Amino acid sequence: AELELTKFHAVMGPFLKSGGGGADEIKSVRVMGKRVSTTEATLAFIGRDKPLGTAFDRSMTLSCISTAHFSKIVDFARRQRIAPRGSRVRAPTAPPSNQHQLQVDLQMYGLQTADIYTPLMLPHEMQAVIEMTGKENAKTELLFKSSRDGKTYPTMLSSVKGKSGLLVAMQDGHTHRFGAFIDGELTPPDDPTQSTGPCDVSVFFYALSGPYNAPTKIDLPKEYQLVDVAGTQGALKDDNHVPRANVWIAGGCLWLGIARPGPAADLSSCCQWIDKEHLPAGYRGRINWQGSGTLAQSWDFECTEMEVWQLGQDR
């Protein structure tokens, strides 16, 4: 068994590496007489004080769970650790006759029984954006997540209804993460076929990855401190009065649910631009012939994940 483990690590080591020295150390435990292994990084991610973490500190064989179920649980933990930001990690499954027991085993080792939706922002990135807002001791609440709640406009709108201090986080592909902070509400019109019209509200953009190497705030001039929201049966129109989108933010620098004509079938069809003179130093993105940059990979893009958080005061 030891020789087999050594061969396994030699072949699979590059795929298990976490980027840290001790974190790549292989940890093993016997389950019903068979060896199950993982990296120290996975155990640290779940929590060394959690049941799964402490299971690998035992010298005895685990006999309260099947090897198959324990292996599924360890793999679920590993997949959570390596999952890209804003992705869905599916919970392990078993044949119908064993599914209930697998869920019991997941709970016994401190893991959720449902799919995991990883947030777009790492904790230090969220803290950096909170500091950009100037809100001290802000309490965060995830109101909407497209991979969890779907991408339809009515769903997002109902999720944020009556909420103020909205942090929109977006992802374009695997490389570009950015968003906007709206120090107010996204309030729909009373008539669902109309729009609210441009409303004054404090807005700024931020970038986490892609065109900037670190969390960066993009301040906007006063004329861009506007949002407009269409009803669920209406659409925002462009300068030629053509129906285009569900929402625009920052005076039209960010459009959600945009199409030509629009609105699009869902919120994932987006457009984002910003005049190059408003881009802070360090911008590595593209500039088009009109002198505009973008925080996405391209000006028109398919948003692969969208989140809306509320930043409130922690009382």
Side-chain angles (χ1 to χ4, degrees):
E2 295 293 343
L3 179 58
E4 291 175 357
L5 179 60
T6 301
K7 291 179 179 179
F8 169 81
H9 192 213
V11 175
M12 298 301 294
F15 299 97
L16 295 170
K17 285 186 179 298
S18 62
D24 295 328
E25 182 182 355
I26 295 292
K27 297 291 185 179
S28 303
V29 65
R30 289 190 176 277
V31 184
M32 302 294 288
K34 295 183 179 180
R35 186 182 297 275
V36 177
S37 301
T38 190
T39 60
E40 177 63 33
T42 294
L43 300 179
F45 172 81
I46 292 299
R48 262 310 200 161
D49 58 334
K50 299 297 190 294
L52 184 60
T54 59
F56 281 81
D57 290 333
R58 301 175 184 176
S59 58
M60 64 187 76
T61 297
L62 299 180
S63 58
C64 59
I65 183 174
S66 71
T67 306
H69 282 193
F70 191 78
S71 296
K72 287 176 181 286
I73 291 170
V74 170
D75 181 64
F76 188 32
R78 179 192 64 82
R79 289 187 288 114
Q80 290 180 48
R81 176 177 68 82
I82 66 174
R85 295 290 94 198
S87 63
R88 179 182 184 181
V89 183
R90 296 187 180 276
T93 59
S97 59
N98 295 331
Q99 183 62 27
H100 175 70
Q101 184 59 51
L102 177 57
Q103 291 182 330
V104 171
D105 292 339
L106 281 163
Q107 293 173 336
M108 179 171 64
Y109 283 97
L111 274 70
Q112 294 187 30
T113 59
D115 295 352
I116 298 293
Y117 297 87
T118 62
L120 278 177
M121 284 184 268
L122 294 166
H124 78 274
E125 293 172 331
M126 175 63 84
Q127 184 57 42
V129 176
I130 290 174
E131 291 174 1
M132 294 175 193
T133 70
K135 295 182 179 291
E136 297 182 1
N137 302 317
K139 180 181 179 182
T140 60
E141 179 185 359
L142 181 61
L143 304 176
F144 173 81
K145 187 174 179 66
S146 60
S147 61
R148 180 191 69 188
D149 304 318
K151 299 178 180 180
T152 65
Y153 178 51
T155 299
M156 188 278 283
L157 203 56
S158 64
S159 299
V160 304
K161 184 178 180 180
K163 305 290 187 179
S164 182
L166 299 177
L167 181 64
V168 180
M170 309 178 74
Q171 180 168 288
D172 179 15
H174 296 298
T175 55
H176 288 59
R177 293 177 299 127
F178 60 95
F181 177 68
I182 305 165
D183 201 5
E185 301 183 16
L186 290 177
T187 305
D190 294 331
D191 184 345
T193 66
Q194 300 298 314
S195 69
T196 58
C199 299
D200 292 328
V201 65
S202 179
V203 181
F204 68 79
F205 285 128
Y206 65 90
L208 299 174
S209 63
Y212 287 95
N213 286 324
T216 302
K217 181 179 182 181
I218 299 99
D219 288 311
L220 300 169
K222 183 174 176 56
E223 59 265 29
Y224 290 96
Q225 306 293 310
L226 300 165
V227 298
D228 198 356
V229 181
T232 55
Q233 300 172 36
L236 302 181
K237 298 179 180 180
D238 62 16
D239 292 339
N240 296 318
H241 304 288
V242 176
R244 295 294 299 276
N246 298 123
V247 177
W248 62 241
I249 297 168
C253 290
L254 174 61
W255 296 72
L256 309 182
I258 189 171
R260 298 174 176 82
D266 60 50
L267 289 170
S268 63
S269 180
C270 301
C271 177
Q272 198 281 325
W273 62 273
I274 185 167
D275 289 332
K276 62 181 181 181
E277 59 263 31
H278 302 144
L279 291 165
Y283 178 73
R284 302 178 302 148
R286 300 158 61 191
I287 300 292
N288 66 12
W289 64 273
Q290 295 174 306
S292 298
T294 180
L295 302 179
Q297 295 184 84
S298 61
W299 292 265
D300 295 306
F301 67 98
E302 196 76 12
C303 182
T304 50
E305 178 70 297
M306 182 185 300
E307 297 175 349
V308 183
W309 296 75
Q310 182 184 28
L311 300 189
Q313 292 302 113
D314 190 6
R315 301 183 184 281

